[in-house]
Amino acid sequence: QAGLTQPPSVSKGLRQAATLTCTGNSDNIGNQGAAWLQQHQGHPPKLLSYRNDNRPSGISERFSASRSGNTASLTITGLQPEDEADYYCSAWDSSLDVWVFGGGTKLTVL
Amino acid sequence: EVQLVESGGGLVQPGGSLKLSCAASGFTLSGSAMHWVRQASGKGLEWVGRIRSKADNHPALYAASVKGRFTISRDDSKNTAYLQMNSLKTEDTAIYYCAGVSDGFDVFNIWGQGTMVTVSS
Protein backbone atom coordinates (compact mmCIF):
# COMPACT_ATOMS: atom_id res chain seq x y z
CA GLN A 1 0.00 0.00 0.00
CA ALA A 2 1.13 3.53 -0.73
CA GLY A 3 3.20 5.26 1.90
CA LEU A 4 4.49 8.77 2.39
CA THR A 5 7.69 10.05 0.79
CA GLN A 6 10.56 11.42 2.87
CA PRO A 7 14.16 12.17 1.85
CA PRO A 8 16.41 9.41 3.27
CA SER A 9 18.87 11.80 4.87
CA VAL A 10 19.47 15.42 5.79
CA SER A 11 22.66 16.91 7.23
CA LYS A 12 22.93 20.30 8.91
CA GLY A 13 25.38 22.06 11.18
CA LEU A 14 25.14 22.59 14.92
CA ARG A 15 22.77 25.45 15.83
CA GLN A 16 21.47 25.62 12.27
CA ALA A 17 17.89 24.88 11.24
CA ALA A 18 16.71 21.81 9.36
CA THR A 19 13.45 21.34 7.50
CA LEU A 20 12.28 17.80 6.84
CA THR A 21 9.57 17.14 4.29
CA CYS A 22 6.93 14.46 3.84
CA THR A 23 4.83 14.14 0.70
CA GLY A 24 1.55 12.29 0.48
CA ASN A 25 -1.67 12.82 -1.39
CA SER A 26 -5.15 14.21 -0.96
CA ASP A 27 -6.34 11.05 0.82
CA ASN A 28 -3.81 11.28 3.64
CA ILE A 29 -1.79 14.42 4.35
CA GLY A 30 -3.93 16.67 2.18
CA ASN A 31 -7.08 15.54 3.98
CA GLN A 32 -6.08 14.40 7.47
CA GLY A 33 -2.85 16.19 8.19
CA ALA A 34 0.33 14.56 9.46
CA ALA A 35 2.07 13.56 12.65
CA TRP A 36 5.83 13.53 13.22
CA LEU A 37 7.81 11.11 15.33
CA GLN A 38 11.43 11.02 16.42
CA GLN A 39 13.32 7.80 16.98
CA HIS A 40 16.78 7.51 18.44
CA GLN A 41 18.77 4.36 17.72
CA GLY A 42 17.62 1.49 19.92
CA HIS A 43 14.61 3.37 21.32
CA PRO A 44 10.89 3.45 20.51
CA PRO A 45 9.48 6.36 18.52
CA LYS A 46 8.34 9.52 20.31
CA LEU A 47 5.52 11.76 19.08
CA LEU A 48 6.73 15.27 18.25
CA SER A 49 3.65 16.79 16.66
CA TYR A 50 0.13 15.88 15.59
CA ARG A 51 -2.69 17.41 13.57
CA ASN A 52 0.00 19.21 11.59
CA ASP A 53 1.17 21.72 14.17
CA ASN A 54 0.25 20.59 17.69
CA ARG A 55 3.05 19.64 20.08
CA PRO A 56 2.55 17.25 23.01
CA SER A 57 3.59 18.66 26.36
CA GLY A 58 7.31 18.36 26.96
CA ILE A 59 8.29 18.73 23.31
CA SER A 60 10.66 21.62 22.72
CA GLU A 61 9.45 24.69 20.86
CA ARG A 62 12.44 24.16 18.57
CA PHE A 63 10.27 21.59 16.80
CA SER A 64 7.51 23.07 14.64
CA ALA A 65 5.39 21.38 12.04
CA SER A 66 3.26 22.67 9.19
CA ARG A 67 1.40 21.52 6.12
CA SER A 68 0.94 22.91 2.63
CA GLY A 69 -1.34 20.94 0.40
CA ASN A 70 -0.17 17.33 0.33
CA THR A 71 3.21 18.05 1.89
CA ALA A 72 3.97 18.20 5.60
CA SER A 73 7.13 19.75 7.01
CA LEU A 74 9.00 19.57 10.31
CA THR A 75 11.40 22.39 11.10
CA ILE A 76 13.97 22.00 13.85
CA THR A 77 15.74 25.19 14.86
CA GLY A 78 18.97 25.58 16.83
CA LEU A 79 20.10 22.03 16.07
CA GLN A 80 21.65 20.16 18.98
CA PRO A 81 23.64 16.91 19.00
CA GLU A 82 20.66 15.11 20.61
CA ASP A 83 18.50 15.99 17.60
CA GLU A 84 20.45 13.45 15.57
CA ALA A 85 17.85 10.74 15.02
CA ASP A 86 15.45 9.23 12.52
CA TYR A 87 12.29 11.22 11.86
CA TYR A 88 9.07 9.70 10.58
CA CYS A 89 5.88 11.28 9.34
CA SER A 90 2.57 9.47 9.55
CA ALA A 91 -0.99 10.08 8.43
CA TRP A 92 -4.36 8.37 8.24
CA ASP A 93 -5.25 7.41 4.69
CA SER A 94 -9.02 7.76 4.32
CA SER A 95 -9.07 5.96 0.98
CA LEU A 96 -7.13 2.88 2.09
CA ASP A 97 -8.42 2.92 5.71
CA VAL A 98 -4.89 2.47 7.04
CA TRP A 99 -2.26 4.52 8.78
CA VAL A 100 0.74 5.15 6.56
CA PHE A 101 4.31 6.07 7.45
CA GLY A 102 7.05 7.74 5.51
CA GLY A 103 10.27 5.82 5.01
CA GLY A 104 12.02 8.05 7.54
CA THR A 105 14.69 10.74 7.33
CA LYS A 106 18.01 10.29 9.10
CA LEU A 107 19.07 13.68 10.44
CA THR A 108 22.79 14.17 10.97
CA VAL A 109 23.98 17.15 13.01
CA LEU A 110 27.47 18.11 11.88
CA GLU B 1 3.90 7.13 35.09
CA VAL B 2 2.16 6.25 31.84
CA GLN B 3 3.62 3.06 30.44
CA LEU B 4 2.96 0.36 27.87
CA VAL B 5 4.86 -2.91 28.21
CA GLU B 6 4.90 -5.49 25.44
CA SER B 7 5.63 -9.17 26.00
CA GLY B 8 5.33 -12.47 24.19
CA GLY B 9 7.96 -12.05 21.53
CA GLY B 10 10.39 -14.80 20.61
CA LEU B 11 11.54 -17.23 17.96
CA VAL B 12 8.91 -19.07 15.93
CA GLN B 13 9.06 -21.21 12.82
CA PRO B 14 7.46 -20.11 9.54
CA GLY B 15 3.79 -21.02 9.58
CA GLY B 16 3.66 -20.82 13.36
CA SER B 17 1.72 -18.57 15.72
CA LEU B 18 2.55 -16.12 18.47
CA LYS B 19 0.47 -13.88 20.70
CA LEU B 20 1.86 -10.55 21.88
CA SER B 21 0.52 -8.66 24.88
CA CYS B 22 0.60 -4.96 25.64
CA ALA B 23 -0.06 -4.09 29.28
CA ALA B 24 -0.88 -0.51 30.20
CA SER B 25 -0.17 1.22 33.48
CA GLY B 26 -0.95 4.80 34.48
CA PHE B 27 -3.20 4.84 31.43
CA THR B 28 -6.71 3.43 31.04
CA LEU B 29 -7.02 1.37 27.90
CA SER B 30 -10.80 1.20 27.88
CA GLY B 31 -11.44 4.55 26.24
CA SER B 32 -8.45 4.48 23.95
CA ALA B 33 -7.51 3.20 20.54
CA MET B 34 -4.49 0.89 20.45
CA HIS B 35 -2.17 0.38 17.52
CA TRP B 36 0.53 -2.12 16.71
CA VAL B 37 3.50 -0.93 14.67
CA ARG B 38 6.50 -3.01 13.63
CA GLN B 39 10.04 -2.29 12.54
CA ALA B 40 12.33 -4.72 10.79
CA SER B 41 16.02 -4.43 11.57
CA GLY B 42 17.47 -1.33 9.92
CA LYS B 43 14.13 -0.46 8.33
CA GLY B 44 11.38 2.08 8.89
CA LEU B 45 8.13 1.90 10.80
CA GLU B 46 5.26 -0.16 9.42
CA TRP B 47 1.72 0.16 10.75
CA VAL B 48 0.24 -3.26 11.52
CA GLY B 49 -3.26 -2.47 12.76
CA ARG B 50 -5.53 -0.72 15.21
CA ILE B 51 -8.39 -1.48 17.52
CA ARG B 52 -10.68 1.26 18.78
CA SER B 53 -12.36 1.47 22.16
CA LYS B 54 -15.33 -0.84 22.81
CA ALA B 55 -17.61 2.20 22.94
CA ASP B 56 -16.52 3.12 19.44
CA ASN B 57 -18.08 0.21 17.67
CA HIS B 58 -15.76 -0.07 14.69
CA PRO B 59 -14.00 -3.25 13.59
CA ALA B 60 -10.25 -3.50 13.93
CA LEU B 61 -8.29 -2.41 10.88
CA TYR B 62 -5.17 -4.04 9.48
CA ALA B 63 -2.40 -3.43 6.98
CA ALA B 64 -2.74 -5.41 3.78
CA SER B 65 0.45 -7.34 4.60
CA VAL B 66 -1.09 -8.92 7.72
CA LYS B 67 -4.82 -8.92 7.01
CA GLY B 68 -6.34 -12.35 7.51
CA ARG B 69 -3.33 -13.56 9.53
CA PHE B 70 -3.15 -11.12 12.46
CA THR B 71 -5.90 -10.23 14.95
CA ILE B 72 -5.89 -7.41 17.46
CA SER B 73 -8.02 -7.71 20.58
CA ARG B 74 -8.31 -6.08 23.98
CA ASP B 75 -9.27 -7.02 27.53
CA ASP B 76 -10.15 -3.77 29.25
CA SER B 77 -10.56 -5.56 32.59
CA LYS B 78 -6.85 -6.40 32.40
CA ASN B 79 -5.90 -3.08 30.79
CA THR B 80 -4.19 -5.11 28.09
CA ALA B 81 -4.24 -5.29 24.30
CA TYR B 82 -3.14 -8.28 22.23
CA LEU B 83 -1.80 -9.12 18.81
CA GLN B 84 -2.46 -12.70 17.70
CA MET B 85 -0.17 -13.58 14.81
CA ASN B 86 -0.88 -16.70 12.75
CA SER B 87 0.68 -18.16 9.60
CA LEU B 88 3.87 -16.26 10.32
CA LYS B 89 6.32 -15.56 7.52
CA THR B 90 10.02 -14.73 7.65
CA GLU B 91 9.17 -11.21 6.55
CA ASP B 92 7.17 -10.72 9.77
CA THR B 93 10.48 -10.67 11.67
CA ALA B 94 10.61 -7.31 13.43
CA ILE B 95 10.35 -5.41 16.68
CA TYR B 96 6.65 -5.03 17.46
CA TYR B 97 5.53 -1.90 19.29
CA CYS B 98 2.14 -1.23 20.78
CA ALA B 99 1.11 2.41 20.77
CA GLY B 100 -1.83 4.03 22.50
CA VAL B 101 -3.90 7.11 21.79
CA SER B 102 -4.74 8.96 24.99
CA ASP B 103 -7.38 11.62 25.61
CA GLY B 104 -6.99 14.70 23.48
CA PHE B 105 -4.88 12.99 20.85
CA ASP B 106 -5.88 11.47 17.53
CA VAL B 107 -2.59 9.69 16.91
CA PHE B 108 -0.35 7.25 18.82
CA ASN B 109 1.25 9.31 21.58
CA ILE B 110 2.20 6.54 24.04
CA TRP B 111 4.66 3.86 22.92
CA GLY B 112 5.93 0.68 24.49
CA GLN B 113 9.55 -0.42 24.36
CA GLY B 114 8.80 -3.13 21.82
CA THR B 115 9.17 -6.90 21.72
CA MET B 116 11.24 -8.82 19.17
CA VAL B 117 9.63 -11.43 16.96
CA THR B 118 11.89 -13.66 14.87
CA VAL B 119 10.39 -15.99 12.30
CA SER B 120 12.98 -18.50 11.21
CA SER B 121 13.48 -22.21 10.71
Side-chain angles (χ1 to χ4, degrees), chain A residues 5 16 28 32 41-42 45 64 73 75 84 86 102:
Chain A
T5 301
Q16 287 189 329
N28 43 62
Q32 306 288 331
Q41 181 72 26
S64 63
S73 299
T75 298
E84 194 162 284
D86 293 321

Side-chain angles (χ1 to χ4, degrees), chain B residues 57-102:
Chain B
N57 194 21
H58 280 81
L61 294 175
Y62 302 92
S65 57
V66 306
K67 200 168 187 178
R69 299 188 299 123
F70 289 13
T71 303
I72 300 174
S73 61
R74 60 194 300 150
D75 185 339
D76 291 341
S77 67
K78 296 182 178 178
N79 222 27
T80 300
Y82 303 95
L83 178 65
Q84 175 68 48
M85 303 184 293
N86 298 331
S87 303
L88 281 161
K89 306 175 182 179
T90 55
E91 53 263 41
D92 294 320
T93 295
I95 297 173
Y96 284 73
Y97 297 101
C98 63
V101 183
S102 62

Side-chain angles (χ1 to χ4, degrees), chain A residues 46-66:
Chain A
K46 179 170 76 173
L47 184 67
L48 293 179
S49 75
Y50 61 104
R51 284 193 217 134
N52 297 320
D53 58 358
N54 291 274
R55 267 191 315 271
S57 63
I59 301 300
S60 170
E61 291 179 353
R62 297 190 297 107
F63 294 89
S64 63
S66 62

Side-chain angles (χ1 to χ4, degrees), chain A residues 1 32 35 37 39 42-47 49-51 55-57 86 88 90 92 97-104, chain B residues 35-37 39 43-48 50 52 61-65 97 104-114:
Chain A
Q1 52 210 29
Q32 306 288 331
L37 302 104
Q39 186 180 33
H43 291 268
K46 179 170 76 173
L47 184 67
S49 75
Y50 61 104
R51 284 193 217 134
R55 267 191 315 271
S57 63
D86 293 321
Y88 294 91
S90 184
W92 170 251
D97 272 352
V98 297
W99 279 87
V100 288
F101 281 97
Chain B
H35 296 252
W36 287 91
V37 176
Q39 186 171 35
K43 303 294 185 183
L45 302 172
E46 180 188 12
W47 182 78
V48 172
R50 177 205 70 191
R52 285 195 179 181
L61 294 175
Y62 302 92
S65 57
Y97 297 101
F105 289 84
D106 62 357
V107 69
F108 16 74
N109 61 305
I110 305 170
W111 290 73
Q113 289 298 310

Side-chain angles (χ1 to χ4, degrees), chain A residues 7 29-30 64 69-70 74 80 85 95 102 105:
Chain A
I29 291 177
S64 63
N70 297 334
L74 177 72
Q80 300 297 310
S95 172
T105 295

